[in-house]
């Protein structure tokens, strides 16, 4: 066992608040700062913090991220379809399963995947490098499995930096990733790591 990491604790709390706000928005409740702070208090864990000062600094950072999220959400024209949506499909004879932070639908009826990140955006992550990202590509395949078509966009939203990194999948990119994933799965099953 290792000691809890403070950045992970803060990120988990912010992520939980966004999930709960999204689910309540699905039920018709408009997200507010008051509600976000109330949820943050219920999701917050002090266990990882060695000092009260460090905890208060992270709490201020968490509240700032929630302010950023709320401003982003207020400007978002899409409709939430699902939050923390479980998926499962078969690829190369193996089950692939996970959870998508959020699925949205554009006013035109297209699907959008959003994965919320509370850490800083890596400088190496660009619109070109995200094309090969395993996580977003698996989400893309899951959307196709669930709804019969690829999403218009799959995005990482780095809340702390207020930066969105988008990937617009096509049948070609999805097919290429599927072949790459099949190769990886076959390698793992053959113990070629």
């Amino acid at each position: 066992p290792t000691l809890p990491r403070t950045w992970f604790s803060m990120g988990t709390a912010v992520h939980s608040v966004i999930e709960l706000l999204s689910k309540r928005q699905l039920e018709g409740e408009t997200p507010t700062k008051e509600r976000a702070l109330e949820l943050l208090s219920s999701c917050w864990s002090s266990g990882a913090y060695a000092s009260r000062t460090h905890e208060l600094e992270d709490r201020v950072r968490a509240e700032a991220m929630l302010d950023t999220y709320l401003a982003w959400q207020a400007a978002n024209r899409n409709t939430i379809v699902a939050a923390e949506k479980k998926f499962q499909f078969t690829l190369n004879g193996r089950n692939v399963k996970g959870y998508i932070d959020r699925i949205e639908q554009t006013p035109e009826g297209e699907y959008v995947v959003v994965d919320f990140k509370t850490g800083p955006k890596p400088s190496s992550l660009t619109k070109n490098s995200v094309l090969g990202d395993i996580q977003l590509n698996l989400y893309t395949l899951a959307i196709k499995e669930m709804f019969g078509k690829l999403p218009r966009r799959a995005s990482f939203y780095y809340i702390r930096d207020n930066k969105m990194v988008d990937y617009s999948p096509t049948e070609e990119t999805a097919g290429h990733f599927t072949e790459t994933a099949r190769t990886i799965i076959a390698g793992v099953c053959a113990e070629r790591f």
Side-chain angles (χ1 to χ4, degrees):
T2 59
L3 292 173
R5 306 272 191 243
T6 56
W7 56 267
F8 186 72
S9 182
M10 178 182 63
T12 298
V14 170
H15 198 277
S16 295
V17 171
I18 290 171
E19 175 189 344
L20 293 168
L21 288 173
S22 296
K23 286 181 175 177
R24 289 184 176 175
Q25 192 170 346
L26 268 168
E27 297 168 356
E29 184 179 313
T30 302
T32 64
K33 182 170 183 168
E34 294 74 25
R35 188 62 156 155
L37 294 177
E38 177 185 305
L39 291 169
L40 182 62
S41 292
S42 67
C43 295
W44 192 262
S45 174
S46 300
Y49 293 95
S51 79
R52 181 81 176 131
T53 301
H54 186 190
E55 181 180 0
L56 291 175
E57 289 169 352
D58 273 4
R59 181 68 185 239
V60 168
R61 287 185 192 98
E63 290 177 12
M65 281 191 269
L66 290 173
D67 285 341
T68 300
Y69 166 78
L70 290 168
W72 172 82
Q73 179 55 51
N76 187 354
R77 293 179 46 231
N78 296 338
T79 302
I80 300 172
V81 174
E84 206 61 28
K85 176 69 174 167
K86 184 177 183 177
F87 68 86
Q88 181 172 331
F89 62 94
T90 303
L91 186 59
N92 214 34
R94 299 294 176 177
N95 286 332
V96 177
K97 54 187 174 179
Y99 293 87
I100 299 173
D101 285 353
R102 188 148 96 179
I103 302 170
E104 301 176 343
Q105 199 165 26
T106 68
E108 300 77 33
E110 298 293 322
Y111 292 101
V112 173
V113 171
V114 181
D115 188 73
F116 297 103
K117 302 291 188 188
T118 56
K121 178 190 160 294
S123 59
S124 61
L125 188 64
T126 64
K127 287 186 186 268
N128 286 333
S129 68
V130 80
L131 292 175
D133 184 81
I134 291 174
Q135 183 180 11
L136 287 184
N137 274 289
L138 287 176
Y139 292 169
T140 294
L141 295 179
I143 293 295
K144 186 170 184 178
E145 183 77 18
M146 283 186 259
F147 301 109
K149 64 180 182 176
L150 293 171
R152 173 191 279 179
R153 187 177 71 245
S155 306
F156 287 131
Y157 178 39
Y158 289 88
I159 303 166
R160 189 169 99 176
D161 300 330
N162 195 22
K163 300 272 186 208
M164 187 78 77
V165 180
D166 299 322
Y167 163 46
S168 298
T170 63
E171 290 296 336
E172 182 182 348
T173 60
H176 178 72
F177 174 75
T178 300
E179 289 310 310
T180 300
R182 284 187 172 131
T183 301
I184 292 169
I185 291 168
V188 170
C189 290
E191 298 185 12
R192 290 190 312 268
F193 301 112

